[in-house]
Amino acid sequence: MAHVRFDHVSMSYPGGHQALLDLNFEVEQGEMAFLTGHSGAGKSTLLKLIMRMEKTTQGQILVDGVNLNRLRASQIPFHRRRIGVVFQNHQLLFDRSVFENVALPLRISGYSSRDLERRVRAALDKVGLLDKEKQNPIELSGGEQQRVGIARAVVNKPSLILADEPTGNLDPKLSKEIMSLFEQFNDVGVSVLIASHDLNLIGRLPYRVIGLENGKIIGERPPQTQEEAP
Ligand code: ADP
Ligand code: ADP
């Protein structure tokens, strides 16, 4: 079963703007793939549909076989908890420590403090920031802040990571480091879908690329094998 499946999905925003038109594609379990296209192509909307932050106007989306059109409001938080989301501008809170930023999704779920500490430290360890847990994120560099955002996204151990322009503000070296973090999670079986218009970065990586333009899929580059990889 595909991890994410789009079946003739269209989406119009209230007021009639057609953001996505008749999309059909799948993300396999354990696959890492890119979504690319100019600003306004529909990348964020597509990710928001998977999160069920927006609803399809036509067609259906299946995540782990579950039809999102049939999710009841009470099930949506559970659906979202299984997805780790990474944003370009981190959306970190500067009134609390790195530790508390990463702990946020767990506080909502009501973990005991021992379990919470263990999981927060495990997530910080994976992104290499264990020694920064007491600092305020404002004291960290842009790349470090993005890694805090990634730790927060994975602290619930999601099986799917969605990232929206995760390297948007970073230089090429830091961007590569962030990508290798996503690769680490993918290596242990997490499915990863990354929206990015950084063609330079995407071009050098071997993963499948889905191209969007004006809300339509205009092309796909299949995953590259070792020999083909640039
Ligand atoms: P991308 O992430 O590729 O830049 P978006 O998904 O943000 O694209 O936007 C796709 C289209 O939908 C754009 O034309 C955008 O203006 C429109 N759009 C995005 N969000 C909204 C909204 N909340 N209300 C109305 N139109 C929107
Ligand atoms: P938006 O404000 O863009 O509509 P939400 O209301 O869904 O987004 O999310 C509010 C905050 O919760 C965001 O700052 C986001 O970082 C965080 N968040 C939402 N879903 C998740 C998730 N699955 N994992 C981690 N953080 C999340």
Side-chain angles (χ1 to χ4, degrees):
M1 187 203 308
H3 201 152
V4 179
R5 176 180 167 148
F6 273 54
D7 224 353
H8 295 290
V9 170
S10 297
M11 195 280 185
S12 307
Y13 281 103
H17 186 87
Q18 182 98 41
L20 297 172
L21 189 67
D22 197 29
L23 299 190
N24 296 287
F25 71 94
E26 292 184 349
V27 177
E28 297 304 328
Q29 301 281 349
E31 183 180 6
M32 175 148 158
F34 284 105
L35 193 61
T36 190
H38 298 295
S39 178
K43 305 181 295 296
S44 300
T45 303
L46 191 158
L47 297 180
K48 284 179 183 164
L49 288 176
I50 299 173
M51 288 287 291
R52 197 45 172 73
M53 285 160 63
E54 296 288 351
K55 280 185 88 169
T56 57
T57 41
Q58 275 177 62
Q60 55 186 20
I61 299 171
L62 299 164
V63 178
D64 280 321
V66 174
N67 186 336
L68 300 192
N69 291 341
R70 304 220 180 103
L71 270 191
R72 277 176 278 132
S74 62
Q75 295 171 309
I76 293 174
F78 298 97
H79 168 67
R80 290 197 184 143
R81 223 167 278 166
R82 291 158 61 203
I83 304 175
V85 185
V86 180
F87 300 94
Q88 171 178 353
N89 50 359
H90 349 282
Q91 306 196 353
L92 300 180
L93 303 173
F94 294 130
D95 64 347
R96 62 194 80 190
S97 66
V98 165
F99 182 98
E100 283 305 327
N101 268 275
V102 175
L104 215 56
L106 299 182
R107 296 249 182 250
I108 297 163
S109 315
Y111 275 80
S112 76
S113 58
R114 256 185 78 220
D115 282 350
L116 182 137
E117 280 181 25
R118 208 177 44 215
R119 290 186 85 166
V120 170
R121 297 216 165 98
L124 283 171
D125 188 30
K126 283 183 197 138
V127 302
L129 286 180
L130 210 41
D131 57 334
K132 309 267 162 138
E133 66 169 53
K134 292 199 176 66
Q135 294 196 32
N136 187 295
I138 210 153
E139 301 163 352
L140 305 184
S141 69
E144 287 171 334
Q145 289 185 8
Q146 189 55 297
R147 285 193 273 150
V148 177
I150 293 173
R152 186 184 58 192
V154 300
V155 75
N156 261 323
K157 298 199 199 159
S159 56
L160 172 66
I161 293 175
L162 304 177
D164 198 352
E165 302 288 356
T167 62
N169 295 323
L170 303 177
D171 67 35
K173 183 167 169 284
L174 287 174
S175 298
K176 266 193 77 188
E177 283 174 26
I178 294 295
M179 283 303 154
S180 54
L181 277 181
F182 288 120
E183 289 178 301
Q184 274 178 46
F185 292 110
N186 180 242
D187 281 344
V188 295
V190 178
S191 311
V192 183
L193 181 60
I194 301 172
S196 170
H197 59 240
D198 189 346
L199 294 177
N200 225 331
L201 180 71
I202 295 173
R204 277 187 263 112
L205 294 167
Y207 307 103
R208 178 156 72 112
V209 182
I210 302 166
L212 271 187
E213 203 175 291
N214 292 323
K216 290 181 218 140
I217 293 178
I218 52 153
E220 243 192 68
R221 188 197 73 177
Q224 313 283 290
T225 62
Q226 286 291 323
E227 298 79 61
E228 292 168 327

